[in-house]
Amino acid sequence: MEKEIAEIRNAIRDIPNFPKPGIIFKDITPLLGNGPLFRKTIDVLADRYRNQSVDMVLGIESRGFIIGSALAYRLGAGFCIVRKPGKLPYETHRASYELEYGSDTLEVHRDALRPRARVLIADDLIATGGTAAAAIELVSKLGGEVVECAFVIELAFLKGREKLKPCGVYSILQYDSE
Ligand code: AMP
């Protein structure tokens, strides 16, 4: 497992000053482009949740769709999409969250979950935790129960997991500084 995690870490590329100065963007496209490693990444997550009776994986637009849908397939769970405003065709619930400058909003279909569904929230990366916190709010509006929030990458120095309490957080890779 340690060897696999080191391989996954080595496949992630740092892009300084993207999308704006001062941000180091963690680019997962080299990881996604490596078939055996992409599969290992999904399998590390699937092994953790295999016996957790996950009904639905919720993926956050857009890289959460890539990780989340592969994970849902592996778990035999349904997949629920959470998108930026104006993209979903049916009636929605909304949740807003603060960004460094301004705020952003996420939407989910009102019929996306059955009541008390066990939901695993998935995204590629947790930074400040604002995005995942909004997803948790949407699950709660729909009457679902969050099993955990799962990420490939955690920027641990930003302490995003504290914003998600009491929901638990799991990440394959942690970065303690930029
Ligand atoms: P946050 O709401 O601050 O936890 O930000 C998480 C969302 O923004 C995720 O959907 C990530 O894909 C994206 N994100 C934030 N920071 C980075 C980063 N340094 N590299 C890549 N993606 C990021």
Side-chain angles (χ1 to χ4, degrees):
M1 178 87 155
E2 258 173 48
K3 182 171 156 271
E4 289 164 359
I5 290 178
E7 283 174 348
I8 294 169
R9 188 181 288 268
N10 287 337
I12 289 163
R13 175 165 61 189
D14 281 359
I15 309 280
N17 302 314
F18 184 89
K20 50 186 182 186
I23 306 276
I24 300 179
F25 190 85
K26 299 288 182 198
D27 178 16
I28 62 165
T29 60
L31 172 63
L32 299 176
N34 180 322
L37 262 192
F38 181 29
R39 177 156 64 188
K40 270 183 200 164
T41 304
I42 298 303
D43 284 347
V44 169
L45 297 174
D47 285 349
R48 180 174 175 88
Y49 298 109
R50 184 157 287 125
N51 299 316
Q52 302 261 353
S53 307
V54 173
D55 299 310
M56 298 289 279
V57 176
L58 178 155
I60 305 172
E61 186 169 3
S62 59
R63 273 161 282 144
F65 294 171
I66 301 167
I67 304 298
S69 61
L71 182 56
Y73 175 80
R74 205 77 172 99
L75 293 174
F79 187 63
C80 163
I81 65 178
V82 161
R83 298 203 68 179
K84 307 277 165 58
K87 305 268 193 182
L88 289 171
Y90 184 59
E91 293 164 30
T92 59
H93 284 299
R94 304 180 129 216
S96 293
Y97 57 101
E98 297 307 311
L99 299 171
E100 202 177 342
Y101 302 104
S103 68
D104 220 336
T105 301
L106 291 175
E107 291 187 343
V108 70
H109 275 158
R110 282 179 181 252
D111 63 352
L113 299 179
R114 55 167 186 71
R116 312 253 300 277
R118 287 176 55 77
V119 182
L120 175 62
I121 294 175
D123 204 354
D124 66 326
L125 180 147
I126 177 171
T128 66
T131 310
I136 291 171
E137 189 184 327
L138 291 174
V139 172
S140 135
K141 281 185 179 172
L142 293 171
E145 293 169 10
V146 176
V147 174
E148 201 162 58
C149 299
F151 304 92
V152 178
I153 302 165
E154 177 178 8
L155 303 184
F157 56 94
L158 294 175
K159 304 194 185 319
R161 64 169 58 222
E162 284 171 21
K163 206 174 275 173
L164 308 191
K165 280 181 182 164
C167 293
V169 168
Y170 173 74
S171 57
I172 299 176
L173 303 173
Q174 300 79 36
Y175 291 82
D176 293 324
S177 68
E178 287 199 276

